[in-house]
Coordinates of all heavy atoms in Angstrom, one line a residue:
M898 N 0.8 -1.2 0.0 CA 0.0 0.0 0.0 C 0.9 1.3 0.0 O 0.5 2.2 -0.6 CB -0.9 0.0 1.2 CG -1.8 1.2 1.4 SD -2.9 1.1 2.8 CE -2.9 2.8 3.3
D899 N 2.0 1.2 0.7 CA 2.8 2.4 0.8 C 3.1 3.1 -0.5 O 3.0 4.3 -0.6 CB 4.1 2.1 1.5 CG 3.9 1.8 3.0 OD1 2.8 2.0 3.5 OD2 4.8 1.4 3.7
S900 N 3.6 2.3 -1.5 CA 4.1 2.9 -2.7 C 2.9 3.4 -3.6 O 3.1 4.0 -4.6 CB 5.0 1.9 -3.5 OG 4.2 0.8 -3.8
D901 N 1.7 3.0 -3.2 CA 0.5 3.4 -4.1 C -0.1 4.6 -3.6 O -1.2 5.0 -4.2 CB -0.5 2.2 -4.0 CG 0.1 0.9 -4.6 OD1 1.0 1.0 -5.4 OD2 -0.5 -0.1 -4.3
I902 N 0.4 5.3 -2.6 CA -0.3 6.5 -2.1 C -0.1 7.7 -3.1 O 1.0 8.0 -3.5 CB 0.3 6.9 -0.8 CG1 0.1 5.8 0.3 CG2 -0.3 8.2 -0.3 CD1 0.8 6.1 1.6
V903 N -1.2 8.2 -3.6 CA -1.2 9.3 -4.5 C -1.9 10.5 -3.8 O -3.0 10.4 -3.5 CB -2.0 9.0 -5.8 CG1 -2.0 10.2 -6.7 CG2 -1.4 7.8 -6.5
P904 N -1.1 11.5 -3.5 CA -1.6 12.6 -2.7 C -2.6 13.5 -3.5 O -2.4 13.6 -4.7 CB -0.4 13.4 -2.3 CG 0.6 13.1 -3.4 CD 0.3 11.7 -3.8
D905 N -3.6 14.0 -2.8 CA -4.6 14.9 -3.5 C -4.1 16.3 -3.5 O -4.5 17.2 -4.2 CB -5.9 14.8 -2.7 CG -6.5 13.4 -2.9 OD1 -6.9 13.0 -3.9 OD2 -6.4 12.6 -1.9
A906 N -3.1 16.6 -2.5 CA -2.5 18.0 -2.4 C -1.1 17.8 -1.9 O -0.8 16.8 -1.2 CB -3.4 18.8 -1.5
E907 N -0.3 18.8 -2.2 CA 1.1 18.8 -1.7 C 1.4 20.1 -1.0 O 0.9 21.1 -1.5 CB 2.0 18.5 -2.8 CG 1.8 17.1 -3.5 CD 2.9 16.7 -4.4 OE1 3.9 17.3 -4.4 OE2 2.6 15.7 -5.2
L908 N 2.3 20.0 0.0 CA 2.7 21.2 0.7 C 4.2 21.1 0.9 O 4.8 20.2 1.4 CB 2.0 21.2 2.1 CG 2.4 22.4 3.0 CD1 2.0 23.7 2.4 CD2 1.7 22.2 4.3
D909 N 4.9 22.2 0.4 CA 6.4 22.3 0.6 C 6.7 23.2 1.7 O 6.5 24.4 1.6 CB 7.0 22.8 -0.8 CG 8.5 22.9 -0.7 OD1 9.1 22.5 0.3 OD2 9.0 23.3 -1.7
C910 N 7.3 22.6 2.8 CA 7.7 23.4 3.9 C 9.2 23.4 4.1 O 9.7 23.7 5.2 CB 7.0 22.9 5.2 SG 5.2 23.0 5.2
V911 N 9.9 23.0 3.0 CA 11.4 22.9 3.1 C 11.9 24.4 3.3 O 11.5 25.3 2.6 CB 11.9 22.3 1.8 CG1 13.5 22.4 1.8 CG2 11.5 20.8 1.7
G912 N 12.8 24.5 4.2 CA 13.4 25.8 4.5 C 12.6 26.6 5.6 O 13.0 27.7 6.0
L913 N 11.5 26.1 6.0 CA 10.7 26.7 7.1 C 10.9 26.0 8.4 O 11.1 24.8 8.5 CB 9.2 26.7 6.7 CG 8.8 27.3 5.4 CD1 7.3 27.1 5.1 CD2 9.2 28.8 5.4
Y914 N 10.8 26.8 9.5 CA 11.1 26.3 10.8 C 9.9 26.5 11.7 O 9.0 27.3 11.4 CB 12.3 26.9 11.4 CG 13.6 26.4 10.7 CD1 14.1 27.2 9.6 CD2 14.1 25.2 11.0 CE1 15.2 26.7 8.9 CE2 15.2 24.7 10.2 CZ 15.7 25.5 9.2 OH 16.8 25.0 8.5
C915 N 9.8 25.7 12.7 CA 8.8 25.7 13.7 C 8.4 27.1 14.1 O 9.3 27.9 14.4 CB 9.2 24.9 14.9 SG 7.8 24.7 16.1
P916 N 7.1 27.5 14.1 CA 5.9 26.6 13.9 C 5.4 26.6 12.5 O 4.2 26.1 12.4 CB 5.0 27.2 14.9 CG 5.2 28.7 14.8 CD 6.7 28.8 14.5
M917 N 6.1 27.1 11.5 CA 5.5 27.2 10.2 C 5.0 25.9 9.6 O 3.9 25.8 9.0 CB 6.4 28.0 9.3 CG 6.5 29.4 9.6 SD 4.9 30.3 9.8 CE 4.3 30.2 8.2
P918 N 5.9 24.8 9.6 CA 5.4 23.6 9.0 C 4.1 23.0 9.6 O 3.2 22.7 8.8 CB 6.6 22.6 9.3 CG 7.8 23.5 9.4 CD 7.3 24.7 10.1
I919 N 4.0 23.1 10.9 CA 2.7 22.6 11.5 C 1.6 23.5 11.2 O 0.4 23.1 10.9 CB 2.9 22.3 13.0 CG1 1.7 21.5 13.6 CG2 3.1 23.6 13.8 CD1 1.7 20.1 13.1
A920 N 1.8 24.8 11.3 CA 0.7 25.8 11.0 C 0.3 25.7 9.5 O -1.0 25.7 9.3 CB 1.2 27.2 11.3
M921 N 1.2 25.5 8.6 CA 0.8 25.4 7.2 C 0.1 24.1 6.9 O -0.8 24.0 6.1 CB 2.0 25.6 6.3 CG 2.6 27.0 6.3 SD 4.1 27.2 5.4 CE 3.5 27.0 3.7
T922 N 0.6 23.0 7.6 CA -0.1 21.7 7.4 C -1.5 21.8 7.9 O -2.4 21.3 7.2 CB 0.7 20.6 8.2 OG1 2.0 20.5 7.7 CG2 0.0 19.3 8.1
K923 N -1.7 22.4 9.0 CA -3.1 22.6 9.6 C -4.0 23.3 8.6 O -5.1 22.9 8.4 CB -3.0 23.3 10.9 CG -4.3 23.4 11.7 CD -4.0 24.1 13.0 CE -5.3 24.4 13.7 NZ -5.2 25.1 14.9
E924 N -3.5 24.4 8.0 CA -4.2 25.2 7.1 C -4.5 24.4 5.8 O -5.6 24.4 5.3 CB -3.5 26.4 6.6 CG -3.5 27.6 7.6 CD -2.8 28.8 7.1 OE1 -2.6 28.9 5.9 OE2 -2.4 29.6 8.0
E925 N -3.5 23.7 5.3 CA -3.7 23.0 4.0 C -4.6 21.8 4.2 O -5.4 21.5 3.2 CB -2.3 22.5 3.6 CG -2.2 22.3 2.1 CD -2.3 23.5 1.2 OE1 -2.1 24.6 1.7 OE2 -2.8 23.3 0.1
I926 N -4.6 21.1 5.3 CA -5.5 19.9 5.4 C -6.9 20.4 5.5 O -7.8 19.6 5.1 CB -5.1 19.0 6.6 CG1 -5.6 17.6 6.4 CG2 -5.7 19.6 7.9 CD1 -4.7 16.5 6.9
E927 N -7.2 21.6 5.9 CA -8.6 22.1 5.9 C -9.1 22.4 4.4 O -10.3 22.5 4.2 CB -8.7 23.4 6.7 CG -8.3 23.2 8.2 CD -9.3 22.3 8.9 OE1 -10.5 22.4 8.5 OE2 -8.9 21.6 9.8
K928 N -8.2 22.4 3.5 CA -8.6 22.7 2.1 C -8.9 21.4 1.3 O -9.5 21.5 0.2 CB -7.4 23.4 1.4 CG -7.1 24.8 2.0 CD -5.9 25.4 1.2 CE -5.5 26.7 1.8 NZ -4.3 27.3 1.2
I929 N -8.6 20.3 1.9 CA -8.9 19.0 1.1 C -10.1 18.4 1.8 O -10.5 18.7 2.9 CB -7.7 18.1 1.1 CG1 -7.3 17.6 2.5 CG2 -6.5 18.7 0.4 CD1 -6.2 16.5 2.5
E930 N -10.7 17.4 1.1 CA -11.9 16.7 1.6 C -11.5 15.6 2.5 O -10.4 15.1 2.5 CB -12.7 16.1 0.4 CG -13.1 17.1 -0.6 CD -14.2 18.1 -0.1 OE1 -15.0 17.7 0.7 OE2 -14.1 19.3 -0.5
V931 N -12.4 15.2 3.4 CA -12.2 14.1 4.3 C -11.9 12.9 3.4 O -12.6 12.6 2.4 CB -13.5 13.9 5.2 CG1 -13.4 12.6 6.0 CG2 -13.7 15.0 6.1
G932 N -10.9 12.1 3.8 CA -10.5 10.9 3.1 C -9.4 11.2 2.1 O -8.7 10.3 1.6
Q933 N -9.2 12.5 1.7 CA -8.1 12.8 0.8 C -6.7 12.8 1.5 O -6.7 12.9 2.8 CB -8.4 14.1 0.1 CG -9.5 14.0 -0.9 CD -9.7 15.3 -1.7 OE1 -9.5 16.4 -1.2 NE2 -10.0 15.1 -3.0
V934 N -5.7 12.8 0.8 CA -4.3 12.7 1.3 C -3.5 14.0 1.0 O -3.5 14.4 -0.1 CB -3.6 11.5 0.8 CG1 -2.2 11.4 1.3 CG2 -4.4 10.2 1.2
L935 N -2.9 14.5 2.0 CA -1.9 15.6 1.9 C -0.5 15.1 2.0 O -0.2 14.4 3.0 CB -2.3 16.7 2.9 CG -1.3 17.9 3.0 CD1 -1.3 18.7 1.8 CD2 -1.6 18.7 4.3
R936 N 0.3 15.5 1.1 CA 1.7 15.1 1.2 C 2.5 16.4 1.6 O 2.3 17.5 1.0 CB 2.3 14.7 -0.2 CG 3.7 14.4 -0.3 CD 4.1 13.9 -1.7 NE 5.5 13.5 -1.8 CZ 6.5 14.4 -2.1 NH1 6.2 15.6 -2.4 NH2 7.7 13.9 -2.2
V937 N 3.3 16.3 2.7 CA 4.0 17.4 3.3 C 5.5 17.1 3.3 O 5.9 16.0 3.7 CB 3.5 17.7 4.7 CG1 4.3 18.8 5.3 CG2 2.1 17.9 4.8
E938 N 6.3 18.0 2.7 CA 7.7 17.9 2.8 C 8.3 19.0 3.7 O 7.8 20.1 3.6 CB 8.4 18.0 1.5 CG 8.4 16.7 0.7 CD 9.3 16.8 -0.5 OE1 9.9 17.9 -0.8 OE2 9.5 15.8 -1.2
A939 N 9.2 18.6 4.6 CA 9.8 19.6 5.5 C 11.2 19.2 5.8 O 11.6 18.0 5.6 CB 9.0 19.7 6.8
D940 N 12.0 20.1 6.2 CA 13.4 19.8 6.6 C 13.7 20.3 8.0 O 14.9 20.2 8.4 CB 14.4 20.3 5.6 CG 14.4 21.8 5.4 OD1 13.5 22.5 6.0 OD2 15.3 22.3 4.8
D941 N 12.7 20.8 8.7 CA 12.9 21.2 10.1 C 12.9 19.9 11.0 O 11.9 19.2 11.0 CB 11.8 22.1 10.6 CG 11.9 22.5 12.0 OD1 12.9 22.1 12.7 OD2 11.0 23.2 12.5
P942 N 14.0 19.5 11.6 CA 14.0 18.3 12.4 C 12.9 18.2 13.4 O 12.4 17.1 13.7 CB 15.4 18.3 13.1 CG 16.2 19.3 12.4 CD 15.2 20.3 11.7
A943 N 12.4 19.3 13.9 CA 11.3 19.3 14.9 C 10.0 18.9 14.3 O 9.0 18.5 15.0 CB 11.2 20.7 15.6
A944 N 9.9 19.0 12.9 CA 8.6 18.7 12.3 C 8.2 17.3 12.4 O 7.0 17.0 12.5 CB 8.7 19.1 10.8
E945 N 9.2 16.4 12.5 CA 8.9 15.0 12.6 C 8.0 14.7 13.8 O 6.9 14.2 13.7 CB 10.1 14.1 12.7 CG 9.8 12.6 12.9 CD 11.1 11.8 12.9 OE1 12.2 12.3 12.7 OE2 10.9 10.5 13.1
E946 N 8.4 15.2 15.0 CA 7.6 15.0 16.2 C 6.4 15.9 16.2 O 5.3 15.4 16.6 CB 8.5 15.3 17.4 CG 7.9 14.8 18.7 CD 7.6 13.3 18.7 OE1 8.4 12.5 18.2 OE2 6.6 13.0 19.3
D947 N 6.5 17.1 15.8 CA 5.4 18.1 15.8 C 4.2 17.6 14.9 O 3.1 17.6 15.4 CB 5.8 19.4 15.3 CG 6.7 20.2 16.3 OD1 6.8 19.7 17.4 OD2 7.3 21.2 15.9
I948 N 4.5 17.2 13.7 CA 3.4 16.7 12.8 C 2.8 15.4 13.3 O 1.6 15.2 13.2 CB 3.9 16.7 11.3 CG1 4.2 18.2 10.9 CG2 2.9 16.0 10.4 CD1 4.8 18.3 9.5
K949 N 3.7 14.5 13.7 CA 3.1 13.2 14.2 C 2.2 13.5 15.4 O 1.1 12.9 15.5 CB 4.3 12.3 14.6 CG 5.0 11.7 13.4 CD 6.1 10.7 13.8 CE 6.8 10.1 12.7 NZ 7.9 9.2 13.1
R950 N 2.7 14.3 16.3 CA 1.9 14.6 17.5 C 0.6 15.3 17.1 O -0.5 15.0 17.7 CB 2.7 15.5 18.5 CG 2.0 15.6 19.9 CD 2.8 16.4 20.9 NE 4.3 16.1 20.9 CZ 5.3 16.9 20.7 NH1 5.0 18.2 20.5 NH2 6.5 16.5 20.7
W951 N 0.7 16.3 16.2 CA -0.5 17.0 15.8 C -1.5 16.1 15.1 O -2.7 16.1 15.4 CB -0.1 18.1 14.8 CG -1.3 18.7 14.0 CD1 -2.1 19.7 14.5 CD2 -1.7 18.3 12.7 NE1 -3.1 19.9 13.5 CE2 -2.8 19.1 12.4 CE3 -1.2 17.4 11.8 CZ2 -3.5 19.0 11.2 CZ3 -1.9 17.3 10.6 CH2 -3.0 18.1 10.3
A952 N -1.1 15.2 14.3 CA -2.0 14.2 13.6 C -2.6 13.3 14.6 O -3.8 13.1 14.5 CB -1.2 13.4 12.6
K953 N -1.9 12.9 15.6 CA -2.5 12.0 16.6 C -3.5 12.8 17.4 O -4.6 12.3 17.7 CB -1.4 11.5 17.5 CG -1.9 10.5 18.6 CD -0.7 9.9 19.4 CE -1.2 8.9 20.3 NZ -0.1 8.3 21.1
R954 N -3.2 14.0 17.8 CA -4.1 14.8 18.6 C -5.4 15.2 17.9 O -6.5 15.2 18.4 CB -3.4 16.1 19.1 CG -4.2 16.9 20.1 CD -3.4 18.1 20.6 NE -3.2 19.1 19.5 CZ -2.0 19.5 19.0 NH1 -0.9 19.0 19.6 NH2 -1.9 20.3 18.0
T955 N -5.3 15.5 16.5 CA -6.4 15.9 15.8 C -7.2 14.7 15.1 O -8.2 14.9 14.6 CB -6.0 16.9 14.7 OG1 -5.0 16.3 13.8 CG2 -5.4 18.2 15.3
G956 N -6.6 13.5 15.2 CA -7.2 12.3 14.6 C -7.0 12.1 13.2 O -7.5 11.1 12.6
H957 N -6.1 12.9 12.5 CA -5.8 12.6 11.2 C -4.8 11.5 11.1 O -4.0 11.2 12.1 CB -5.2 13.9 10.5 CG -6.1 15.0 10.4 ND1 -7.3 14.9 9.8 CD2 -6.1 16.3 11.0 CE1 -8.0 16.1 9.9 NE2 -7.2 16.9 10.6
E958 N -4.7 10.8 10.0 CA -4.0 9.5 9.9 C -2.7 9.7 9.1 O -2.8 10.1 7.9 CB -4.8 8.4 9.3 CG -4.1 7.1 9.2 CD -5.0 6.1 8.5 OE1 -6.1 6.4 8.0 OE2 -4.6 4.9 8.4
I959 N -1.6 9.4 9.7 CA -0.3 9.5 8.9 C -0.2 8.1 8.2 O 0.0 7.1 8.9 CB 0.9 9.8 9.8 CG1 0.8 11.2 10.3 CG2 2.2 9.6 9.0 CD1 2.0 11.7 11.1
L960 N -0.4 8.1 6.9 CA -0.3 6.9 6.2 C 1.1 6.4 6.0 O 1.4 5.2 5.9 CB -1.0 7.0 4.8 CG -2.5 7.5 4.8 CD1 -2.9 7.7 3.4 CD2 -3.3 6.4 5.5
K961 N 2.0 7.4 5.8 CA 3.4 7.0 5.5 C 4.3 8.2 6.0 O 3.9 9.3 5.8 CB 3.5 6.8 4.0 CG 4.9 6.3 3.6 CD 4.8 6.1 2.1 CE 6.2 5.7 1.5 NZ 6.2 5.5 0.1
F962 N 5.4 7.8 6.5 CA 6.5 8.8 6.8 C 7.8 8.3 6.3 O 8.2 7.2 6.4 CB 6.5 9.0 8.3 CG 7.7 9.8 8.8 CD1 7.7 11.1 8.6 CD2 8.8 9.2 9.4 CE1 8.8 11.9 9.0 CE2 9.9 9.9 9.8 CZ 9.9 11.3 9.6
E963 N 8.5 9.2 5.6 CA 9.8 8.9 5.0 C 10.8 10.0 5.4 O 10.4 11.1 5.6 CB 9.7 8.9 3.5 CG 8.8 7.9 2.8 CD 8.8 8.1 1.3 OE1 8.8 9.2 0.8 OE2 8.6 7.1 0.7
K964 N 12.0 9.5 5.6 CA 13.1 10.4 6.0 C 14.2 10.1 5.0 O 14.8 9.0 5.1 CB 13.5 10.2 7.4 CG 14.4 11.2 8.0 CD 14.5 10.9 9.5 CE 15.2 12.0 10.2 NZ 15.2 11.8 11.7
E965 N 14.6 11.1 4.2 CA 15.6 10.9 3.2 C 16.6 12.0 3.3 O 16.3 13.1 2.9 CB 15.1 10.7 1.8 CG 16.1 10.3 0.8 CD 15.4 9.9 -0.5 OE1 14.3 9.3 -0.5 OE2 16.0 10.3 -1.6
G966 N 17.7 11.8 3.9 CA 18.7 12.9 4.2 C 18.0 13.8 5.2 O 17.6 13.3 6.3
T967 N 17.9 15.1 4.9 CA 17.2 16.0 5.8 C 15.8 16.2 5.5 O 15.1 17.0 6.2 CB 18.0 17.4 5.8 OG1 17.9 17.9 4.5 CG2 19.4 17.3 6.2
I968 N 15.3 15.6 4.4 CA 13.9 15.8 4.0 C 13.0 14.8 4.7 O 13.2 13.6 4.6 CB 13.8 15.7 2.5 CG1 14.7 16.7 1.8 CG2 12.3 15.9 2.0 CD1 14.4 18.2 2.0
L969 N 12.0 15.3 5.3 CA 10.9 14.5 5.9 C 9.7 14.6 5.1 O 9.3 15.7 4.7 CB 10.6 15.1 7.3 CG 11.8 15.4 8.3 CD1 11.3 16.1 9.5 CD2 12.5 14.1 8.6
T970 N 9.1 13.5 4.8 CA 7.9 13.5 3.9 C 6.8 12.7 4.7 O 7.0 11.6 5.1 CB 8.2 12.8 2.6 OG1 9.3 13.4 1.9 CG2 6.9 12.9 1.7
F971 N 5.7 13.4 4.8 CA 4.5 12.8 5.4 C 3.4 12.7 4.4 O 3.1 13.6 3.6 CB 4.0 13.7 6.6 CG 5.0 14.1 7.6 CD1 5.9 15.1 7.4 CD2 5.0 13.4 8.8 CE1 6.8 15.4 8.3 CE2 5.9 13.8 9.8 CZ 6.9 14.8 9.5
F972 N 2.6 11.6 4.5 CA 1.4 11.4 3.8 C 0.3 11.3 4.8 O 0.2 10.4 5.6 CB 1.4 10.2 2.9 CG 2.3 10.2 1.8 CD1 3.7 10.0 1.9 CD2 1.9 10.6 0.5 CE1 4.6 10.1 0.9 CE2 2.8 10.7 -0.6 CZ 4.1 10.4 -0.4
I973 N -0.6 12.4 4.9 CA -1.6 12.5 5.9 C -3.0 12.4 5.3 O -3.3 13.2 4.5 CB -1.4 13.8 6.7 CG1 0.1 14.0 7.2 CG2 -2.4 13.9 7.9 CD1 0.4 15.4 7.6
R974 N -3.8 11.5 5.8 CA -5.2 11.4 5.4 C -6.1 12.2 6.3 O -6.0 12.1 7.5 CB -5.7 10.0 5.4 CG -7.2 9.9 5.0 CD -7.7 8.5 5.0 NE -7.1 7.9 3.8 CZ -6.8 6.6 3.7 NH1 -6.9 5.8 4.7 NH2 -6.3 6.1 2.6
R975 N -6.9 13.1 5.7 CA -7.8 13.9 6.5 C -8.9 13.0 7.0 O -9.5 12.3 6.1 CB -8.4 15.1 5.7 CG -9.3 15.9 6.6 CD -9.8 17.1 5.8 NE -10.8 17.8 6.7 CZ -11.4 18.9 6.3 NH1 -11.2 19.4 5.1 NH2 -12.3 19.4 7.1
T976 N -9.2 12.9 8.2 CA -10.2 12.0 8.7 C -11.5 12.7 9.2 O -12.5 12.0 9.5 CB -9.7 11.2 9.9 OG1 -9.2 12.1 10.9 CG2 -8.5 10.3 9.5
K977 N -11.5 14.0 9.3 CA -12.7 14.7 9.8 C -12.7 16.1 9.3 O -11.7 16.6 8.9 CB -12.9 14.6 11.3 CG -11.7 15.1 12.1 CD -11.9 14.9 13.5 CE -10.7 15.3 14.3 NZ -10.8 15.1 15.7

């Protein structure tokens, strides 16, 4: 399933630092429909924990998380 994820929207947060990646992710996920997937790229090391914690708290589902070099990539499904 992992390699088959096709995002409905994408957000580039590379070069941004806390709290911008989480704030922009929160704004962007509100723009997609429930069940759709948002792909987020960030390079702020704090984003890994921040976005995972935010998704858990808000009930959104992280379908996949990748870390390649300094780039963190999240695939988040909007659940509500």
Side-chain angles (χ1 to χ4, degrees):
M898 177 177 147
D899 288 354
S900 60
D901 297 338
I902 299 173
V903 178
D905 297 287
E907 298 190 14
L908 177 63
D909 181 3
C910 294
V911 174
L913 302 175
Y914 292 92
C915 187
M917 290 312 293
I919 192 71
M921 291 176 69
T922 300
K923 185 177 174 183
E924 280 183 23
E925 203 65 25
I926 205 144
E927 296 296 325
K928 297 178 183 174
I929 64 173
E930 300 293 323
V931 172
Q933 290 187 320
V934 176
L935 173 64
R936 179 178 183 267
V937 179
E938 276 192 356
D940 62 349
D941 176 5
E945 179 177 355
E946 192 58 36
D947 288 350
I948 291 177
K949 286 180 178 178
R950 190 178 315 125
W951 167 81
K953 185 175 182 178
R954 189 178 65 241
T955 58
H957 297 302
E958 182 183 4
I959 294 184
L960 300 175
K961 184 177 178 183
F962 170 72
E963 297 175 327
K964 193 172 191 176
E965 191 170 318
T967 59
I968 302 297
L969 310 172
T970 305
F971 304 82
F972 291 82
I973 306 167
R974 174 178 288 144
R975 182 177 176 182
T976 58
K977 56 185 176 180

